[in-house]
Amino acid sequence: MDAIEVIGLTKRFGDTVAVNGINFSVKEGETFGFLGPNGAGKTTTIRMLTGMTRITSGRALIHGHDIVSDTRAAKQLMGIVAEISNVYDELSAWDNVVFAGRLYHLKRVDIQRNARDLLETFELYERRHDLAGSFSKGMKRRLTLAMGLVNRPKVLFLDEPTSGLDVQSRRIIRDVIQDLARKNVTVFLTTHDIEEANVTCDRVAIINRGVIAGIDAPEKLKQTIESLQSVEVSFDAVRPGVVEVLRALPQASGITKEGDKFRIYTADPPEILASLCALAQEQNLRPISITTRGPSLEEVFVRLTGLSIDTAKEEGETDAGLD
Amino acid sequence: MPGWIEEILYDLGAAWAIARKDMKIYYLKPSILVSSLLFPFVMFLAFAIGRDTTPEILLPGLLAITLLFSATSIGPVSIPIERRTKTFDRLLSAPISVRAIVLGASLSGAIFASAIGIVATAVGLIVLRIGIIHIVAFCAGIGLTSICFSTMGTLFASYRTENVGEVMSLLNLVRLPLLFISGVFIPIASMPAWGLSIARFSPLTYAHDLIRFAFDETTLFGPVTDVAVLVLTLIIFQVAGALLYQRSRE
């Protein structure tokens, strides 16, 4: 059974279709990244999957439990970490975790044990009696994560888990996510950090304008966009007109100059390598490095969404993610 | 155990957890406690000075006002704040019903208002040298009035805004007129017929009537009617609250 199954999920706000009949499934123990520019429908999807927003049409199942008709059973299996660290500033770290445990109807002894374990894991146990309001941004984020894990969920929803955090907090949170994967916990995370998704996720889905633009393992997703494969070459001396000479190569679909390197985009890297060597000999150019490159996940994202990643990041920082 | 009983127990547990959290965060603050305890005494000065009112009339009126304002003072403030800080989302995403959220938010206000009402009564009994004749009617009056108006506050906070001022303005549109049509300032007996007709639609009328009955056995509607109307009002507020919060999930 899939941990998350989404069938034709749609959300309308009046005439606006925020999420348009999306379909995907996430296997148990999988770390699944949900990427997209701001306004693409990421947060709306998470809110529907977690029962916080009404679904217009379609279904969402959590370990077989329908989030609409079997809400409580579905929610019991989830942990939710919102984009904003929604801790109670006026409560201590300990009271925050205990309160989260009470909402899941856990036994007192389990709440106490889980609270202690989680605060230790997130390096907050020494500060457990301090008010959360006195914590730094990173500490609040860690506390939010501890609260999201208090019920030992089988599926964890993480909305931008490490965005804008200090190195220590990022490290702790990444370690915990990796540890959850080892424990067969399914992690569904949204992020603007493409590199984070690249190194953390087993599979990623890219959503744009409410529809899934691509879904696969990061490496496979990169391979699907052949035109973004490239050969990077650097010569011992840069002569005027080299760009034009390289652009004339029959297999080249585009060329950019990045520092002392030329990046030649092609659908056929082996073929262009041969042409490049012949051209270098003919033009008396001496290559000092040649590297073949696949597209980065960021380039795939940009190609599929039509947005620059910087634009997406900026939008995410200025808007709390009400997409 | 049948599933529906399990569900009720589950929701009651969650409601109690929310009430405890609210008490800790919002009510048990020195500034809130001091201002809430001072409120009935300020009202006493405003009410009693220069007026020839007997203690048996004065104290129930003061208590009704105190309960109304204490029960509706924090809920309509805390919920918009929690919407702004997104801590309200924590409740919406938890495996609890919207009924439990409404009950929990109302319960904390009710406990707080009851405690303030009891302290004000204790001081009133000593200073005004009167006694309570019907302790059961008194307890029912304090408890039902508190939970009824606390739920009213929670109901108003269902208006989907992060701005506290918007909720309080709406609430005052109802709260202040209630004072004038419920026999607290102007005795219902001396109201014209149309005034009495309006007073019948105010739950504060029945709250005041029940509390007054506890002190001097004077009643317009009878304690059973008062209790029945307050219970009915409470149910209507709770159900309406749950429906409105459910709709606000849109």
Side-chain angles (χ1 to χ4, degrees), chain A residues 81 83 137 141 145 158-166 169-175 177 189-193 196 200:
Chain A
V81 178
E83 184 178 1
K137 186 179 176 184
R141 197 77 193 125
L145 218 73
L158 289 167
D159 204 354
E160 298 286 348
T162 58
S163 175
L165 294 188
D166 57 284
S169 297
R170 286 174 85 96
R171 179 187 56 76
I172 294 170
I173 291 172
R174 279 184 179 157
D175 287 351
I177 293 173
L189 72 90
T190 72
T191 180
H192 281 110
D193 188 340
E196 179 179 50
T200 315

Side-chain angles (χ1 to χ4, degrees), chain A residues 11-13 47 50-54 56 72 75-76 80 84-88 90-91 95 99-100 102-105 144 147-148 322, chain B residues 7 9-11 13-14 17-18 20-21 24-25 29 82 85-87 89-97 99 160 246-247 249-250:
Chain A
K11 179 68 188 178
R12 290 177 193 275
F13 295 102
R47 288 182 73 88
T50 54
M52 290 165 70
T53 295
R54 214 188 298 264
T56 305
R72 199 184 300 252
K75 285 185 173 182
Q76 279 287 2
I80 299 154
I84 292 173
S85 296
N86 54 350
V87 299
Y88 296 96
E90 298 85 354
L91 293 182
D95 285 345
F99 172 66
R102 284 181 182 144
L103 292 180
Y104 283 85
H105 210 60
T144 311
M147 292 169 80
L322 288 172
Chain B
E7 204 149 296
L9 290 176
Y10 199 105
D11 278 349
I18 293 168
R20 285 172 70 180
K21 178 265 295 174
K24 216 166 190 172
I25 294 177
K29 292 237 169 116
E82 292 203 3
T85 57
K86 306 293 175 201
T87 45
D89 281 353
R90 193 168 278 292
L91 306 182
L92 292 177
S93 64
I96 59 175
S97 71
R99 293 187 304 274
R160 202 176 173 184
Q246 191 75 35
R247 277 188 63 185
R249 283 168 66 235
E250 189 63 42

